[in-house]
């Protein structure tokens, strides 16, 4: 009898499988160009909210200036939404029309 119970337990344990985890969808956070926000302010926003070095922030700012938009980073939906809100709120507090948006990556 002991052998039958031991076999039952081992059969059950081999049938347990891990659920397959799917990566969450990712979103690009994008800063949009305008004709009023100073370039230095955009650089500062990129450093402050996206943890960029001065060099990388300047490169992205120039891309925004010359191409009309620049990708600041790729994040999960919740983080991307937070970054967009932070940038827009901070810009409004400093009387700048800087806009930020997100789109599926």
């Amino acid at each position: 009898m002991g052998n039958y119970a031991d076999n039952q337990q081992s059969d059950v344990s081999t049938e347990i499988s891990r659920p397959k985890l799917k990566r969450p969808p990712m979103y690009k956070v994008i800063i949009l160009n305008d004709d009023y926000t100073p370039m230095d302010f955009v650089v500062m926003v990129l450093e402050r909210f996206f943890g960029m070095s001065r060099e990388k922030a300047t490169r992205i700012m120039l891309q925004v200036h010359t191409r009309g938009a620049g990708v600041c980073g790729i994040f999960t939906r919740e983080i991307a939404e937070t970054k967009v809100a932070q940038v827009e709120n901070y810009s409004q507090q400093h009387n700048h029309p800087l806009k930020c948006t997100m789109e599926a990556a």
Side-chain angles (χ1 to χ4, degrees):
M1 222 185 227
N3 287 342
Y4 180 73
D6 290 341
N7 287 340
Q8 287 283 343
Q9 288 176 349
S10 64
D11 287 343
V12 170
S13 65
T14 58
E15 290 178 16
I16 296 172
S17 65
R18 290 183 151 177
K20 298 200 178 195
L21 299 177
K22 199 165 90 173
R23 286 189 170 191
M26 303 298 278
Y27 292 83
K28 296 179 204 173
V29 174
I30 302 164
I31 286 188
L32 305 175
N33 189 41
D34 63 66
D35 293 331
Y36 305 100
T37 305
M39 292 179 181
D40 288 343
F41 184 80
V42 176
V43 169
M44 193 261 305
V45 163
L46 292 167
E47 291 172 331
R48 180 177 186 146
F49 296 105
F50 298 94
M52 292 183 189
S53 66
R54 173 71 44 124
E55 182 181 331
K56 184 173 182 179
T58 301
R59 198 168 47 242
I60 299 296
M61 176 276 298
L62 289 172
Q63 185 178 34
V64 171
H65 181 68
T66 58
R67 297 183 185 170
V71 176
C72 308
I74 299 175
F75 307 95
T76 60
R77 180 183 192 99
E78 293 79 15
I79 294 174
E81 287 172 343
T82 300
K83 298 278 186 191
V84 168
Q86 287 174 328
V87 169
E88 291 200 342
N89 289 336
Y90 190 76
S91 297
Q92 287 174 356
Q93 289 170 3
H94 290 83
N95 299 315
H96 294 300
L98 186 64
K99 293 292 179 195
C100 192
T101 189
M102 60 186 260
E103 66 181 40

